Coordinates of all heavy atoms in Angstrom, one line a residue:
M187 N 47.6 -17.7 -8.9 CA 47.4 -19.0 -8.4 C 46.7 -19.0 -7.0 O 45.9 -19.9 -6.8 CB 48.8 -19.7 -8.3 CG 48.8 -21.1 -7.9 SD 47.9 -22.1 -9.2 CE 48.2 -23.7 -8.7
K188 N 47.2 -18.1 -6.1 CA 46.5 -18.0 -4.8 C 45.0 -17.7 -5.0 O 44.2 -18.2 -4.2 CB 47.2 -17.0 -4.0 CG 48.6 -17.4 -3.5 CD 49.2 -16.3 -2.6 CE 50.6 -16.6 -2.2 NZ 51.1 -15.6 -1.3
Q189 N 44.7 -16.9 -5.9 CA 43.3 -16.5 -6.1 C 42.5 -17.7 -6.6 O 41.4 -17.9 -6.1 CB 43.2 -15.4 -7.1 CG 43.7 -14.0 -6.6 CD 43.7 -13.0 -7.6 OE1 43.5 -13.2 -8.8 NE2 43.8 -11.7 -7.2
L190 N 43.1 -18.5 -7.4 CA 42.4 -19.7 -7.9 C 42.2 -20.7 -6.8 O 41.1 -21.3 -6.7 CB 43.2 -20.4 -9.0 CG 42.6 -21.6 -9.7 CD1 41.3 -21.3 -10.3 CD2 43.6 -22.2 -10.7
I191 N 43.2 -20.9 -5.9 CA 43.0 -21.8 -4.8 C 41.9 -21.3 -3.9 O 41.1 -22.0 -3.4 CB 44.4 -22.0 -4.1 CG1 45.3 -22.8 -5.0 CG2 44.2 -22.7 -2.8 CD1 46.7 -22.8 -4.5
L192 N 42.0 -20.0 -3.5 CA 41.0 -19.4 -2.7 C 39.6 -19.5 -3.2 O 38.6 -19.9 -2.5 CB 41.3 -17.9 -2.4 CG 40.4 -17.2 -1.5 CD1 40.3 -17.8 -0.1 CD2 40.8 -15.7 -1.3
L193 N 39.4 -19.2 -4.5 CA 38.1 -19.4 -5.2 C 37.7 -20.8 -5.1 O 36.5 -21.1 -4.9 CB 38.2 -18.9 -6.6 CG 36.9 -18.9 -7.4 CD1 35.8 -18.1 -6.8 CD2 37.2 -18.5 -8.8
S194 N 38.5 -21.8 -5.4 CA 38.2 -23.2 -5.3 C 37.7 -23.6 -3.9 O 36.7 -24.3 -3.8 CB 39.4 -24.1 -5.7 OG 39.7 -23.8 -7.0
L195 N 38.4 -23.1 -2.9 CA 38.0 -23.4 -1.5 C 36.6 -22.8 -1.2 O 35.8 -23.5 -0.5 CB 39.0 -22.9 -0.5 CG 40.3 -23.7 -0.4 CD1 41.3 -23.0 0.5 CD2 40.1 -25.1 0.1
I196 N 36.4 -21.6 -1.6 CA 35.1 -21.0 -1.4 C 34.0 -21.8 -2.1 O 32.9 -22.1 -1.5 CB 35.1 -19.5 -1.8 CG1 36.0 -18.7 -0.9 CG2 33.7 -18.9 -1.9 CD1 36.3 -17.3 -1.4
I197 N 34.2 -22.2 -3.3 CA 33.2 -22.9 -4.0 C 32.9 -24.3 -3.4 O 31.8 -24.7 -3.2 CB 33.6 -23.1 -5.5 CG1 33.5 -21.8 -6.2 CG2 32.7 -24.1 -6.2 CD1 34.0 -21.7 -7.6
F198 N 34.0 -24.9 -3.0 CA 33.9 -26.3 -2.3 C 33.1 -26.2 -1.0 O 32.3 -27.0 -0.8 CB 35.3 -26.8 -2.1 CG 35.3 -28.1 -1.3 CD1 34.9 -29.3 -2.0 CD2 35.6 -28.2 0.0 CE1 34.9 -30.5 -1.3 CE2 35.6 -29.4 0.7 CZ 35.2 -30.6 0.0
T199 N 33.5 -25.2 -0.2 CA 32.8 -25.1 1.1 C 31.3 -24.7 0.9 O 30.4 -25.2 1.7 CB 33.5 -24.2 2.1 OG1 33.6 -22.9 1.5 CG2 34.8 -24.7 2.5
S200 N 31.0 -23.9 0.0 CA 29.6 -23.5 -0.2 C 28.8 -24.6 -0.8 O 27.6 -24.7 -0.5 CB 29.5 -22.2 -1.1 OG 29.9 -22.5 -2.4
C201 N 29.4 -25.5 -1.6 CA 28.6 -26.6 -2.1 C 28.5 -27.7 -1.2 O 27.5 -28.5 -1.2 CB 29.3 -27.1 -3.4 SG 29.3 -25.9 -4.8
S202 N 29.4 -27.9 -0.3 CA 29.4 -29.1 0.6 C 28.6 -28.9 1.9 O 28.2 -29.8 2.5 CB 30.8 -29.4 1.0 OG 31.4 -28.4 1.8
K203 N 28.2 -27.6 2.2 CA 27.4 -27.4 3.4 C 26.0 -27.1 3.0 O 25.7 -26.4 2.1 CB 28.0 -26.1 4.1 CG 29.3 -26.3 4.8 CD 29.7 -25.0 5.5 CE 31.1 -25.2 6.1 NZ 31.5 -23.9 6.8
E204 N 25.1 -27.7 3.8 CA 23.7 -27.3 3.7 C 23.5 -25.9 4.2 O 24.1 -25.5 5.2 CB 22.8 -28.3 4.5 CG 22.6 -29.6 3.9 CD 21.6 -30.4 4.7 OE1 20.5 -29.8 5.1 OE2 21.9 -31.6 4.9
Q205 N 22.7 -25.2 3.5 CA 22.5 -23.8 3.9 C 21.5 -23.7 5.1 O 20.6 -24.5 5.2 CB 21.9 -23.0 2.8 CG 22.8 -22.9 1.6 CD 24.0 -22.1 1.9 OE1 24.0 -21.1 2.6 NE2 25.2 -22.6 1.4
Q206 N 21.9 -22.9 6.1 CA 20.9 -22.6 7.2 C 19.7 -21.9 6.7 O 19.8 -21.1 5.7 CB 21.7 -21.9 8.3 CG 22.7 -22.7 9.0 CD 23.1 -22.1 10.3 OE1 22.7 -20.9 10.6 NE2 23.8 -22.8 11.1
Q207 N 18.6 -22.0 7.4 CA 17.4 -21.3 7.0 C 16.9 -20.6 8.2 O 17.1 -21.0 9.4 CB 16.4 -22.3 6.5 CG 16.1 -23.5 7.4 CD 15.2 -24.5 6.7 OE1 14.2 -24.1 6.2 NE2 15.6 -25.8 6.7
S208 N 16.3 -19.4 8.0 CA 15.6 -18.7 9.0 C 14.1 -18.9 8.8 O 13.6 -18.7 7.7 CB 15.9 -17.2 9.0 OG 17.3 -17.1 9.4
K209 N 13.4 -19.2 9.8 CA 11.9 -19.5 9.7 C 11.2 -18.9 10.9 O 11.7 -18.9 12.0 CB 11.6 -21.0 9.7 CG 12.2 -21.8 8.6 CD 11.3 -21.8 7.5 CE 11.7 -22.8 6.4 NZ 10.8 -22.8 5.3
N210 N 10.0 -18.4 10.6 CA 9.1 -18.1 11.7 C 8.5 -19.4 12.2 O 8.2 -20.2 11.3 CB 7.9 -17.2 11.2 CG 8.5 -15.8 10.9 OD1 9.3 -15.2 11.6 ND2 8.0 -15.2 9.8
A211 N 8.5 -19.7 13.5 CA 8.2 -21.0 14.0 C 7.4 -20.9 15.3 O 7.4 -19.9 16.0 CB 9.4 -21.8 14.2
E212 N 6.7 -22.0 15.6 CA 6.2 -22.2 16.9 C 7.2 -23.0 17.7 O 7.9 -23.8 17.1 CB 4.9 -23.0 16.8 CG 3.8 -22.3 16.1 CD 2.5 -23.2 16.0 OE1 2.6 -24.4 15.8 OE2 1.4 -22.6 16.2
I213 N 7.4 -22.6 18.9 CA 8.4 -23.2 19.8 C 7.8 -23.7 21.1 O 7.0 -22.9 21.7 CB 9.5 -22.1 20.1 CG1 10.1 -21.5 18.8 CG2 10.6 -22.7 20.9 CD1 10.7 -20.2 18.9
S214 N 8.0 -24.9 21.4 CA 7.4 -25.5 22.6 C 8.1 -26.8 23.0 O 9.1 -27.2 22.4 CB 5.9 -25.6 22.4 OG 5.2 -25.8 23.6
C215 N 7.4 -27.5 23.9 CA 7.8 -28.9 24.3 C 7.4 -29.8 23.2 O 6.2 -29.9 22.8 CB 7.3 -29.3 25.6 SG 7.7 -31.0 26.1
G216 N 8.3 -30.6 22.7 CA 7.9 -31.6 21.6 C 6.9 -32.6 22.1 O 6.0 -32.9 21.3
Q217 N 7.0 -33.1 23.3 CA 6.1 -34.1 23.7 C 4.7 -33.5 24.2 O 3.7 -33.9 23.8 CB 6.6 -34.9 24.9 CG 7.5 -36.0 24.4 CD 7.8 -36.9 25.6 OE1 8.5 -36.5 26.6 NE2 7.4 -38.2 25.5
C218 N 4.8 -32.5 25.0 CA 3.6 -31.9 25.7 C 2.7 -31.2 24.7 O 1.5 -31.2 24.8 CB 4.0 -31.0 26.8 SG 4.9 -31.7 28.2
Q219 N 3.3 -30.5 23.7 CA 2.5 -29.6 22.8 C 2.5 -30.1 21.4 O 1.5 -29.9 20.7 CB 3.1 -28.2 22.9 CG 3.0 -27.6 24.2 CD 1.6 -27.4 24.7 OE1 0.7 -27.1 23.9 NE2 1.3 -27.5 26.0
F220 N 3.6 -30.8 20.9 CA 3.6 -31.2 19.5 C 3.4 -32.7 19.3 O 3.5 -33.2 18.2 CB 4.9 -30.7 18.8 CG 5.1 -29.2 18.8 CD1 6.3 -28.7 19.0 CD2 4.0 -28.4 18.5 CE1 6.5 -27.3 19.0 CE2 4.2 -27.0 18.4 CZ 5.5 -26.5 18.7
N221 N 3.2 -33.4 20.4 CA 2.9 -34.9 20.3 C 4.1 -35.7 19.6 O 3.8 -36.6 18.9 CB 1.6 -35.2 19.7 CG 0.5 -34.5 20.4 OD1 0.4 -34.6 21.7 ND2 -0.4 -33.9 19.7
L222 N 5.3 -35.2 19.8 CA 6.4 -36.0 19.3 C 6.8 -37.2 20.2 O 6.5 -37.1 21.4 CB 7.7 -35.1 19.1 CG 7.6 -34.0 18.1 CD1 8.8 -33.1 18.1 CD2 7.4 -34.5 16.7
E223 N 7.3 -38.2 19.6 CA 7.7 -39.4 20.4 C 9.0 -39.0 21.1 O 9.8 -38.2 20.7 CB 8.0 -40.5 19.4 CG 6.9 -41.0 18.6 CD 5.9 -41.8 19.5 OE1 6.3 -42.5 20.4 OE2 4.7 -41.7 19.2
G224 N 9.1 -39.7 22.3 CA 10.3 -39.4 23.1 C 10.1 -39.5 24.6 O 8.9 -39.7 25.0
E225 N 11.1 -39.4 25.3 CA 11.0 -39.5 26.8 C 11.4 -38.2 27.4 O 12.5 -37.7 27.1 CB 11.9 -40.6 27.3 CG 11.4 -42.0 26.9 CD 12.2 -43.1 27.5 OE1 12.8 -42.9 28.6 OE2 12.3 -44.2 26.9
G226 N 10.6 -37.7 28.3 CA 10.9 -36.4 28.9 C 10.6 -35.2 28.1 O 10.3 -35.3 26.9
C227 N 10.7 -34.1 28.7 CA 10.4 -32.8 28.0 C 11.6 -32.3 27.2 O 12.7 -32.2 27.8 CB 9.8 -31.8 29.0 SG 8.3 -32.3 29.8
S228 N 11.4 -32.0 26.0 CA 12.5 -31.5 25.2 C 12.0 -30.4 24.2 O 10.9 -30.5 23.7 CB 13.1 -32.6 24.3 OG 13.7 -33.6 25.1
L229 N 12.9 -29.4 24.0 CA 12.5 -28.3 23.1 C 12.3 -28.8 21.7 O 13.0 -29.6 21.2 CB 13.7 -27.3 23.2 CG 13.4 -25.9 22.5 CD1 12.3 -25.2 23.2 CD2 14.7 -25.1 22.5
A230 N 11.3 -28.2 21.1 CA 11.0 -28.5 19.7 C 10.5 -27.2 19.0 O 10.0 -26.3 19.6 CB 9.9 -29.6 19.6
V231 N 10.6 -27.3 17.6 CA 10.1 -26.2 16.8 C 9.1 -26.8 15.8 O 9.3 -28.0 15.4 CB 11.2 -25.4 16.1 CG1 12.1 -24.7 17.1 CG2 12.0 -26.3 15.2
C232 N 8.2 -26.0 15.3 CA 7.3 -26.4 14.3 C 7.2 -25.4 13.2 O 6.9 -24.2 13.5 CB 5.9 -26.7 14.9 SG 4.7 -27.3 13.7
F233 N 7.5 -25.7 12.0 CA 7.3 -24.8 10.9 C 7.0 -25.7 9.6 O 7.3 -26.9 9.6 CB 8.6 -23.9 10.6 CG 9.9 -24.7 10.5 CD1 10.3 -25.2 9.3 CD2 10.7 -24.9 11.6 CE1 11.4 -25.9 9.1 CE2 11.9 -25.6 11.5 CZ 12.3 -26.1 10.2
D234 N 6.4 -25.1 8.7 CA 6.0 -25.8 7.5 C 5.2 -27.1 7.8 O 5.3 -28.1 7.2 CB 7.2 -26.1 6.6 CG 7.9 -24.9 6.1 OD1 7.3 -23.8 6.0 OD2 9.1 -25.0 5.8
D235 N 4.3 -27.0 8.8 CA 3.5 -28.1 9.3 C 4.2 -29.3 9.7 O 3.7 -30.4 9.7 CB 2.5 -28.4 8.2 CG 1.5 -27.3 7.8 OD1 1.1 -26.6 8.8 OD2 1.2 -27.1 6.7
K236 N 5.5 -29.2 10.2 CA 6.2 -30.3 10.7 C 7.0 -29.9 11.9 O 7.5 -28.8 12.0 CB 7.2 -30.8 9.6 CG 8.1 -31.9 10.0 CD 7.9 -33.1 9.1 CE 8.9 -34.2 9.4 NZ 8.5 -35.1 10.5
A237 N 7.0 -30.7 12.9 CA 7.7 -30.4 14.2 C 9.0 -31.2 14.3 O 9.1 -32.4 13.8 CB 6.8 -30.8 15.4
Y238 N 10.0 -30.6 14.9 CA 11.3 -31.2 15.0 C 11.9 -30.9 16.4 O 11.7 -29.8 16.9 CB 12.3 -30.6 14.0 CG 11.9 -30.6 12.6 CD1 11.2 -29.5 12.0 CD2 12.3 -31.7 11.8 CE1 10.9 -29.5 10.7 CE2 11.9 -31.7 10.4 CZ 11.2 -30.6 9.9 OH 10.8 -30.6 8.6
Y239 N 12.5 -31.9 17.0 CA 13.2 -31.7 18.2 C 14.4 -30.8 17.9 O 15.0 -30.8 16.8 CB 13.7 -33.0 18.9 CG 12.7 -33.7 19.7 CD1 12.2 -34.9 19.3 CD2 12.1 -33.1 20.8 CE1 11.3 -35.6 20.1 CE2 11.2 -33.7 21.6 CZ 10.7 -34.9 21.2 OH 9.8 -35.6 21.9
V240 N 14.9 -30.0 18.8 CA 15.9 -29.0 18.6 C 17.2 -29.5 19.3 O 17.2 -30.0 20.4 CB 15.6 -27.6 19.2 CG1 16.7 -26.7 19.2 CG2 14.4 -27.0 18.5
T241 N 18.3 -29.4 18.6 CA 19.6 -29.5 19.2 C 20.3 -28.2 19.1 O 20.1 -27.4 18.2 CB 20.5 -30.6 18.5 OG1 20.7 -30.2 17.1 CG2 19.9 -32.0 18.6
G242 N 21.1 -27.9 20.1 CA 21.8 -26.6 20.2 C 21.2 -25.7 21.3 O 21.8 -24.7 21.7
F243 N 20.0 -26.0 21.8 CA 19.4 -25.2 22.8 C 18.6 -26.2 23.7 O 18.1 -27.3 23.2 CB 18.4 -24.2 22.3 CG 19.0 -23.0 21.6 CD1 19.4 -23.1 20.3 CD2 19.3 -21.9 22.3 CE1 20.0 -22.0 19.7 CE2 20.0 -20.8 21.7 CZ 20.3 -20.9 20.4
D244 N 18.4 -25.9 25.0 CA 17.7 -26.8 25.9 C 16.4 -26.1 26.2 O 16.2 -24.9 26.2 CB 18.5 -26.9 27.2 CG 17.9 -27.9 28.2 OD1 18.0 -29.1 27.9 OD2 17.4 -27.5 29.2
I245 N 15.4 -26.9 26.6 CA 14.1 -26.4 26.9 C 14.1 -25.4 28.1 O 13.3 -24.5 28.1 CB 13.1 -27.6 27.2 CG1 11.7 -27.1 27.2 CG2 13.4 -28.3 28.5 CD1 10.6 -28.2 27.0
D246 N 15.0 -25.5 29.0 CA 15.1 -24.5 30.1 C 15.9 -23.3 29.8 O 16.1 -22.5 30.7 CB 15.5 -25.2 31.4 CG 14.4 -26.2 31.9 OD1 13.3 -25.8 32.0 OD2 14.8 -27.3 32.3
D247 N 16.5 -23.2 28.6 CA 17.3 -22.0 28.3 C 16.5 -20.7 28.3 O 17.0 -19.6 28.3 CB 18.0 -22.2 26.9 CG 19.2 -23.2 27.0 OD1 19.6 -23.6 28.1 OD2 19.6 -23.6 25.9
F248 N 15.2 -20.9 28.2 CA 14.3 -19.7 28.1 C 13.4 -19.5 29.3 O 12.4 -18.9 29.2 CB 13.4 -19.9 26.8 CG 14.3 -20.0 25.6 CD1 14.6 -21.3 25.1 CD2 14.8 -18.9 24.9 CE1 15.4 -21.4 24.0 CE2 15.5 -19.0 23.7 CZ 15.9 -20.3 23.3
G249 N 13.8 -20.1 30.4 CA 13.0 -20.1 31.6 C 12.5 -21.5 32.0 O 12.8 -22.4 31.3
D250 N 11.8 -21.5 33.1 CA 11.2 -22.8 33.6 C 10.2 -23.4 32.6 O 9.2 -22.8 32.3 CB 10.6 -22.6 34.9 CG 10.0 -23.8 35.5 OD1 10.2 -24.9 35.0 OD2 9.3 -23.7 36.6
A251 N 10.5 -24.5 32.1 CA 9.7 -25.2 31.1 C 8.3 -25.5 31.6 O 7.3 -25.7 30.8 CB 10.3 -26.5 30.6
H252 N 8.1 -25.6 32.9 CA 6.8 -25.9 33.5 C 6.1 -24.7 34.1 O 5.1 -24.9 34.8 CB 7.0 -27.0 34.5 CG 7.5 -28.3 33.9 ND1 8.8 -28.7 33.9 CD2 6.8 -29.2 33.1 CE1 8.9 -29.8 33.2 NE2 7.7 -30.2 32.7
D253 N 6.6 -23.5 33.9 CA 5.9 -22.3 34.3 C 4.5 -22.3 33.7 O 4.3 -22.5 32.5 CB 6.6 -21.1 33.9 CG 6.0 -19.8 34.4 OD1 6.2 -19.4 35.6 OD2 5.2 -19.2 33.6
K254 N 3.4 -22.0 34.5 CA 2.1 -22.0 34.0 C 1.8 -21.1 32.8 O 0.9 -21.3 32.0 CB 1.1 -21.8 35.1 CG 1.0 -22.9 36.1 CD -0.1 -22.6 37.1 CE -0.2 -23.8 38.1 NZ -1.3 -23.6 39.0
H255 N 2.5 -19.9 32.8 CA 2.1 -18.9 31.9 C 3.1 -18.8 30.7 O 2.7 -18.3 29.6 CB 2.1 -17.5 32.6 CG 1.1 -17.5 33.7 ND1 -0.3 -17.5 33.5 CD2 1.3 -17.5 35.0 CE1 -0.9 -17.5 34.7 NE2 0.1 -17.6 35.6
T256 N 4.4 -19.1 30.9 CA 5.3 -19.0 29.8 C 6.1 -20.3 29.5 O 6.9 -20.3 28.5 CB 6.4 -17.9 30.2 OG1 7.0 -18.3 31.4 CG2 5.7 -16.5 30.3
G257 N 6.0 -21.3 30.3 CA 6.7 -22.5 30.1 C 6.3 -23.3 28.8 O 5.2 -23.4 28.5
F258 N 7.3 -23.8 28.2 CA 7.1 -24.5 26.9 C 6.2 -25.8 27.1 O 5.7 -26.2 26.1 CB 8.4 -24.9 26.2 CG 9.1 -23.7 25.7 CD1 10.5 -23.5 26.0 CD2 8.5 -22.8 24.8 CE1 11.2 -22.4 25.4 CE2 9.2 -21.8 24.2 CZ 10.5 -21.5 24.5
C259 N 6.2 -26.3 28.2 CA 5.3 -27.5 28.4 C 3.8 -27.1 28.6 O 3.0 -28.0 28.4 CB 5.8 -28.3 29.7 SG 7.4 -29.1 29.4
N260 N 3.6 -25.9 28.8 CA 2.2 -25.4 28.9 C 1.7 -24.5 27.8 O 0.5 -24.3 27.7 CB 2.1 -24.7 30.3 CG 2.3 -25.7 31.4 OD1 1.6 -26.7 31.5 ND2 3.2 -25.4 32.3
V261 N 2.6 -23.8 27.1 CA 2.2 -22.9 26.1 C 3.1 -23.1 24.8 O 4.2 -23.5 24.9 CB 2.3 -21.4 26.5 CG1 1.3 -21.1 27.7 CG2 3.7 -21.0 26.9
V262 N 2.5 -22.7 23.7 CA 3.3 -22.7 22.5 C 3.6 -21.2 22.2 O 2.7 -20.4 22.2 CB 2.5 -23.3 21.3 CG1 3.3 -23.1 20.0 CG2 2.1 -24.7 21.6
R263 N 4.9 -20.9 22.1 CA 5.3 -19.6 21.8 C 5.8 -19.4 20.4 O 6.1 -20.4 19.7 CB 6.4 -19.2 22.8 CG 5.9 -19.3 24.2 CD 7.0 -19.0 25.3 NE 7.4 -17.7 25.2 CZ 8.4 -17.2 26.1 NH1 9.0 -18.0 26.9 NH2 8.8 -16.0 26.0
K264 N 5.8 -18.2 19.9 CA 6.2 -17.9 18.5 C 7.6 -17.3 18.5 O 8.0 -16.6 19.5 CB 5.2 -17.1 17.8 CG 3.9 -17.8 17.6 CD 3.0 -17.0 16.7 CE 1.6 -17.6 16.6 NZ 1.6 -18.8 15.8
G265 N 8.3 -17.4 17.5 CA 9.6 -16.8 17.3 C 10.3 -17.1 16.0 O 9.6 -17.6 15.1
K266 N 11.5 -16.6 15.9 CA 12.3 -16.8 14.6 C 13.4 -17.8 15.0 O 14.2 -17.5 15.9 CB 12.8 -15.5 14.1 CG 13.5 -15.7 12.8 CD 13.6 -14.3 12.1 CE 13.6 -14.5 10.6 NZ 12.5 -14.0 9.9
V267 N 13.6 -18.8 14.2 CA 14.6 -19.8 14.4 C 15.5 -19.8 13.2 O 15.1 -19.6 12.0 CB 14.1 -21.2 14.7 CG1 13.3 -21.2 15.9 CG2 13.2 -21.7 13.5
T268 N 16.8 -20.0 13.4 CA 17.8 -20.2 12.3 C 18.6 -21.4 12.6 O 19.0 -21.7 13.7 CB 18.8 -19.0 12.3 OG1 18.0 -17.8 12.2 CG2 19.8 -19.1 11.2
G269 N 18.7 -22.2 11.5 CA 19.4 -23.5 11.6 C 19.1 -24.3 10.4 O 18.7 -23.8 9.3
K270 N 19.3 -25.6 10.6 CA 19.0 -26.5 9.4 C 18.5 -27.9 10.0 O 18.8 -28.2 11.1 CB 20.2 -26.8 8.6 CG 21.4 -27.4 9.3 CD 22.6 -27.6 8.4 CE 23.7 -28.2 9.1 NZ 24.9 -28.4 8.3
V271 N 17.7 -28.5 9.2 CA 17.1 -29.8 9.5 C 18.2 -30.9 9.1 O 18.7 -30.8 8.0 CB 15.8 -30.1 8.8 CG1 15.3 -31.5 9.1 CG2 14.8 -29.1 9.3
E272 N 18.5 -31.7 10.1 CA 19.5 -32.8 9.8 C 19.1 -34.0 10.6 O 19.0 -33.9 11.8 CB 20.9 -32.3 10.1 CG 22.0 -33.2 9.7 CD 23.4 -32.6 9.9 OE1 23.8 -31.7 9.1 OE2 24.1 -33.0 10.8
N273 N 19.0 -35.1 9.9 CA 18.6 -36.4 10.6 C 17.4 -36.3 11.4 O 17.3 -36.8 12.5 CB 19.8 -36.9 11.4 CG 21.0 -37.3 10.6 OD1 20.9 -37.7 9.5 ND2 22.2 -37.0 11.2
G274 N 16.4 -35.6 10.9 CA 15.1 -35.4 11.5 C 15.1 -34.5 12.7 O 14.1 -34.4 13.4
K275 N 16.2 -33.8 13.0 CA 16.2 -32.8 14.1 C 16.6 -31.4 13.5 O 17.2 -31.3 12.5 CB 17.2 -33.2 15.1 CG 16.9 -34.4 15.9 CD 17.8 -34.7 17.0 CE 17.3 -35.9 17.8 NZ 18.0 -36.1 19.0
F276 N 16.2 -30.4 14.3 CA 16.5 -29.0 13.8 C 17.8 -28.6 14.6 O 17.7 -28.5 15.8 CB 15.4 -28.1 14.1 CG 15.6 -26.7 13.5 CD1 15.5 -26.5 12.2 CD2 15.9 -25.7 14.4 CE1 15.8 -25.2 11.7 CE2 16.2 -24.4 13.9 CZ 16.1 -24.2 12.5
L277 N 18.9 -28.4 13.9 CA 20.1 -27.9 14.5 C 20.1 -26.4 14.5 O 20.3 -25.8 13.5 CB 21.3 -28.4 13.7 CG 21.4 -29.9 13.5 CD1 22.6 -30.3 12.5 CD2 21.6 -30.7 14.8
A278 N 19.8 -25.9 15.7 CA 19.5 -24.4 15.8 C 20.8 -23.7 16.1 O 21.6 -24.1 17.0 CB 18.5 -24.2 16.9
S279 N 21.0 -22.6 15.4 CA 22.1 -21.7 15.7 C 21.6 -20.4 16.4 O 22.3 -19.7 17.1 CB 22.9 -21.3 14.5 OG 22.1 -20.7 13.5
S280 N 20.2 -20.2 16.3 CA 19.6 -19.0 16.9 C 18.1 -19.3 17.1 O 17.5 -19.8 16.2 CB 19.8 -17.8 16.0 OG 19.0 -16.7 16.4
I281 N 17.6 -18.8 18.2 CA 16.2 -18.8 18.5 C 15.9 -17.5 19.2 O 16.5 -17.2 20.2 CB 15.8 -20.0 19.5 CG1 16.1 -21.3 18.8 CG2 14.3 -19.9 19.9 CD1 15.8 -22.5 19.7
V282 N 15.0 -16.7 18.6 CA 14.6 -15.5 19.1 C 13.1 -15.5 19.3 O 12.3 -15.7 18.4 CB 15.0 -14.3 18.2 CG1 14.5 -13.0 18.8 CG2 16.5 -14.3 18.0
L283 N 12.6 -15.4 20.6 CA 11.2 -15.4 20.9 C 10.6 -14.1 20.7 O 11.2 -13.0 20.9 CB 11.0 -15.9 22.4 CG 11.5 -17.2 22.7 CD1 11.4 -17.5 24.2 CD2 10.7 -18.3 22.0
E284 N 9.3 -14.1 20.3 CA 8.6 -12.8 20.1 C 8.1 -12.4 21.4 O 7.9 -13.1 22.3 CB 7.4 -13.1 19.1 CG 7.8 -13.3 17.7 CD 6.6 -13.5 16.8 OE1 5.5 -13.6 17.2 OE2 6.9 -13.6 15.6

C-alpha cells in the first residue's frame, strides 16, 4: 500500500509541474539589447528567437550592468540557462556564462 501511495505521489507531481529546460541563450539587458518593453534595465535571455525577462536573477548579479566591456547593457553575452517560461517571463534556476 505504501508503494502505491508513493508511486501515485510521484506520478502526480511529475504531471503537475512544468519541466525545466536547459538552453543555450543570449543573455543581456532586455531593454538596451533586446528591445523589450519596460522601465529600467533588467536581465533578459533570448533563445529560440524570443526574448524573455528573467526572474530569479538580477542584472547586477554578474557584475556592473553598465561596464563598457562586460556589462549587459552594453554587450550580449552567451551562456546556458536552466528554468521555464511562465507568464511571459523566464523563471531561471541557473545561469552559467561562457
